Amino acid sequence: DAKTTQPNSMESNEEEPVHLPCNHSTISGTDYIHWYRQLPSQGPEYVIHGLTSNVNNRMASLAIAEDRKSSTLILHRATLRDAAVYYCILRPNTGKLIFGQGTTLQVKP
Amino acid sequence: ETGVTQTPRHLVMGMTNKKSLKCEQHLGHNAMYWYKQSAKKPLELMFVYNFKEQTENNSVPSRFSPECPNSSHLFLHLHTLQPEDSALYLCASSGDRGLEAFFGQGTRLTVV
C-alpha cells in the first residue's frame, strides 16, 4: 500500500485559510487521493478526493501536483469546528482505505 | 447522519462474555469494513467485505469473528476478549474506489 506523509500538527487562526500538505511520492497511476477528517469522539468524515485535477466542493479544495507526488487540502476559512485530525489517504484498486497518523489541526479564535 | 448506523454505541463486557456489534447501511454500497481505533492511534483496518465475501483479514485474532449476511449488514462477533481490545470499533461502507466512504459513529467497547 502506497504511503503518505503529513505533518503531525498544524495551527491556524479562525477565519484564515489553512493549507494542509501531503506527500505521496510512491503513488501509482490508479490511486485516488482521498482526504478525511475525524472530529473528537466521532467516526471519520469524508472531505474531498481527486485523481489528477484540482477539485472543489463545499467543504474544501484539493490541489494536486502535476506529478501527483503531493497534494494540499485547502480550507478557505477555518472555523473552530474545523479542528480535527485530517487524513490524506491513497485509495488503490482494492478500494480499501489505510489511515496514517494524520495532521491534527488546531484552530485558534 | 452518514447513512451508516452502528449499534450499540457503547458496550461494556467481561472477558468471558460473548457479544456482537452491528453495522447497517442502505446506501447501496458493495463494500463494508471494520476498523479498530485504540486511544491516540490511527485507525487499523481489520476486515474487508466485497459483495458479502471477505476479501481481507489483517491478521485479526480469532476472538473477533466477522459476518456479512448481505450487502447491507455487517456484524462483528466478540468472545473471550482481553482488556487491550478496548477501543472504538468503526464500520464503514463504500462503492467504487473513486467515491467516498462513509463511516458510522462507532461502538466504544470496554472490556473489563
Side-chain angles (χ1 to χ4, degrees), chain A residues 30-32 34 36 38 41-46 49 51 87 91-101, chain B residues 9 33 35 37 40-43 45 48 50 56 88 90 94-101 103-105 108:
Chain A
T30 56
D31 287 341
Y32 279 82
H34 279 240
Y36 290 77
Q38 188 174 20
S41 302
Q42 293 190 26
E45 172 189 32
Y46 167 80
H49 77 278
L51 186 60
Y87 299 99
R91 196 166 185 207
N93 283 325
T94 58
K96 62 184 180 181
L97 292 165
I98 303 297
F99 287 76
Q101 296 278 4
Chain B
R9 292 291 306 277
Y33 313 82
Y35 287 86
Q37 188 171 33
K40 303 207 185 277
K41 288 187 178 180
L43 281 78
L45 181 62
V48 180
N50 277 289
E56 188 146 343
L88 180 67
L90 290 154
S94 71
D96 181 77
R97 66 189 173 89
L99 300 174
E100 62 265 44
F103 284 79
Q105 295 280 52
R108 175 70 63 187

Side-chain angles (χ1 to χ4, degrees), chain B residues 12-37:
Chain B
V12 178
M13 62 185 287
M15 288 189 284
T16 58
N17 290 159
K18 287 184 180 182
K19 296 286 184 183
S20 295
L21 309 184
K22 180 182 175 182
C23 176
E24 185 173 356
Q25 60 91 8
H26 296 288
L27 301 169
H29 291 163
N30 53 275
M32 297 188 77
Y33 313 82
W34 278 117
Y35 287 86
K36 173 185 177 183
Q37 188 171 33

Side-chain angles (χ1 to χ4, degrees), chain B residues 70-90:
Chain B
N70 55 60
S71 293
S72 299
H73 294 86
L74 186 65
F75 294 89
L76 188 62
H77 304 299
L78 316 170
H79 62 99
T80 59
L81 294 193
Q82 305 298 312
E84 58 265 28
D85 296 322
S86 299
L88 180 67
Y89 288 85
L90 290 154

